[in-house]
Amino acid sequence: MRPRVACGIAAAVALFATACGSGTGGGPSASVTVRDDPGGGFPVKVADCAGKETSIAKAPARIVTSNAAGLELMLQLGAGERVIGTGFPPGKGTLPAAVAEQGAKVPVLGDKGIPKEKLLGSGADLYVDTFGAMPMMGGGATGPSEEEYAAAGIQHVYLLSTACAGTPKAAKAPRTDLAGIEEDVRRLGAVTGTAARAEELVAGMEKQLGEVRTALAAVPEGQRPSYFVFDFDAGTKQPVAVCGRQVANAVITQAGARNVFADCDADFKPGSWEDVVAKNPDWIQLAVRNRGSEEATRKAFDEAEAFLKGFPATQGLKAVQEGHFVRLGSEVTTIAGVRNAEAVRQIAVTVHPDLVKSPDPAKSPAPVKSGQ
């Protein structure tokens, strides 16, 4: 079988952009001050990546999100009816079913980044920024200045768990938990006056994570299986390593596995098949984007698996020989959000089937081994 030719790291960058805030690890600890009652009282003060505070006097009425990740959080918080536009819109099948219909109605202000003039003229009173000052995503010098945001009456709030890469305060250690994402959910809940709903979402995440932690408590670190995320949509000519500072590293760690590329100091990094062969992972995640239907997505998973089985460099890998494939989408693994907790459970159920059980057998993740 000939490897599918794709644009290597350029494709990975495009996937990162479309995937929307896949997020580097560890920005500074989110600073939130909520005055009056904890159920959504104002004013609310939130800090950016550099620690500079923004004071939100009242719940915003017209919100713009930089991408699908921010949009998804707004929808899950119950603030979706106030979102008047987004950049990097979600692809078909990307959003959770419960909010997909509402999300599809949100106007698209930019297929990628939102043009500066369109953002400033949108009439928004709040802009939820997933990217921060990352020039390749339209941030930094090409985006509005804070003075321009203020002149347009737009308050600018960052998701710290995704926007703080490269800042002086950004943590360099591998990302191993979802605490930053939970903080961001609470921050957005405070900012939008949906604090009670935010606590419900965080409690749901913690319930799933806590059950997995308890089930795996007796498994020593050294006995946890090694794990490689095969980003099929980024191309097969040159694999992309999902590194320690990517949210997927936290998902993998919480699921009781060891990311084979946890030691690379980045979020994504170009790799080689020689690197993957040297790691010889116990499990391989077939990470594909949702194709908009179960049939099309299943076909993409099949194609990813067939490539690994037919490609000379990978067909001898332990995971390939044993059929140890995890069929789990890119969106819930590499995009920071509430569904990361579900991804933790799905991976844990698959790689530790004797210890972690699906709460609903009828909704179990894809088969543990191909052919079973």
Side-chain angles (χ1 to χ4, degrees):
M1 175 181 293
R2 295 176 60 190
R4 185 169 60 95
V5 177
C7 41
I9 205 63
V13 170
L15 175 59
F16 173 84
T18 304
C20 3
S22 46
T24 48
S29 177
S31 173
V32 182
T33 302
V34 183
R35 297 178 179 173
D36 300 324
D37 73 277
F42 289 87
V44 174
K45 288 186 177 181
V46 292
D48 66 11
C49 296
K52 180 182 176 181
E53 286 191 333
T54 293
S55 181
I56 310 294
K58 61 181 181 179
R62 297 171 62 82
I63 302 168
V64 169
T65 57
S66 63
N67 67 348
L71 172 61
E72 181 175 325
L73 283 173
M74 289 292 98
L75 294 168
Q76 290 172 320
L77 284 166
E81 74 282 355
R82 289 181 268 160
V83 180
I84 62 169
T86 190
F88 288 104
K92 184 179 179 182
T94 300
L95 291 173
V99 298
E101 183 177 353
Q102 185 180 25
K105 297 176 181 177
V106 174
V108 175
L109 303 184
D111 288 334
K112 295 183 180 178
I114 302 173
K116 175 179 174 179
E117 295 75 15
K118 184 172 287 189
L119 174 57
L120 293 174
S122 65
D125 55 8
L126 179 72
Y127 178 55
V128 178
D129 196 345
T130 306
F131 301 128
M134 292 188 282
M136 72 175 182
M137 297 305 171
T142 63
S145 66
E146 292 305 318
E147 291 75 18
E148 288 172 318
Y149 279 119
I154 301 173
Q155 294 199 286
H156 186 193
V157 172
Y158 293 95
L159 294 184
L160 299 193
S161 64
T162 63
C164 296
T167 65
K169 293 186 179 182
K172 301 300 183 184
R175 188 172 186 168
T176 58
D177 62 44
L178 303 183
I181 296 166
E182 292 176 352
E183 282 187 293
D184 270 336
V185 173
R186 289 189 170 106
R187 292 173 84 243
L188 284 185
V191 166
T192 59
T194 59
R197 174 58 178 161
E199 288 303 324
E200 289 179 5
L201 292 173
V202 171
M205 293 177 68
E206 275 301 309
K207 182 177 186 296
Q208 293 185 80
L209 296 172
E211 289 172 352
V212 172
R213 279 195 295 266
T214 299
L216 301 178
V219 182
E221 174 68 23
Q223 293 181 20
R224 299 190 174 200
S226 56
Y227 193 97
F228 167 57
V229 177
F230 173 34
D231 190 344
F232 184 60
D233 292 304
T236 57
K237 185 176 182 179
Q238 181 183 30
V240 175
V242 173
C243 299
R245 285 162 56 194
Q246 221 285 322
V247 66
N249 190 73
V251 171
I252 295 164
T253 303
Q254 290 291 306
R258 293 177 292 114
N259 177 16
V260 295
F261 291 112
D263 57 350
C264 61
D265 184 21
D267 49 4
F268 295 101
K269 189 175 182 179
S272 70
W273 287 117
E274 288 78 9
D275 295 333
V276 176
V277 170
K279 299 291 186 180
N280 196 19
D282 296 311
W283 288 87
I284 297 177
Q285 178 176 333
L286 306 175
V288 304
R289 281 175 281 177
N290 193 302
R291 299 299 200 259
S293 72
E294 287 188 18
E295 182 180 357
T297 303
R298 188 184 308 111
K299 182 179 178 182
F301 280 127
D302 290 343
E303 291 173 351
E305 182 175 325
F307 168 77
L308 292 173
K309 288 180 174 179
F311 187 43
T314 56
Q315 59 189 196
L317 291 174
K318 179 181 179 181
V320 175
Q321 289 289 307
E322 297 181 354
H324 277 187
F325 299 114
V326 178
R327 293 188 169 207
L328 183 61
S330 302
E331 293 90 350
V332 296
T333 313
T334 60
I335 300 175
V338 173
R339 288 188 289 169
N340 292 149
E342 298 174 19
V344 167
R345 176 180 284 281
Q346 289 188 28
I347 294 171
V349 166
T350 307
V351 304
H352 295 287
D354 296 333
L355 298 175
V356 184
K357 305 299 181 182
S358 175
D360 182 353
K363 298 181 179 179
S364 296
V368 175
K369 295 184 180 181
S370 296
Q372 283 189 334

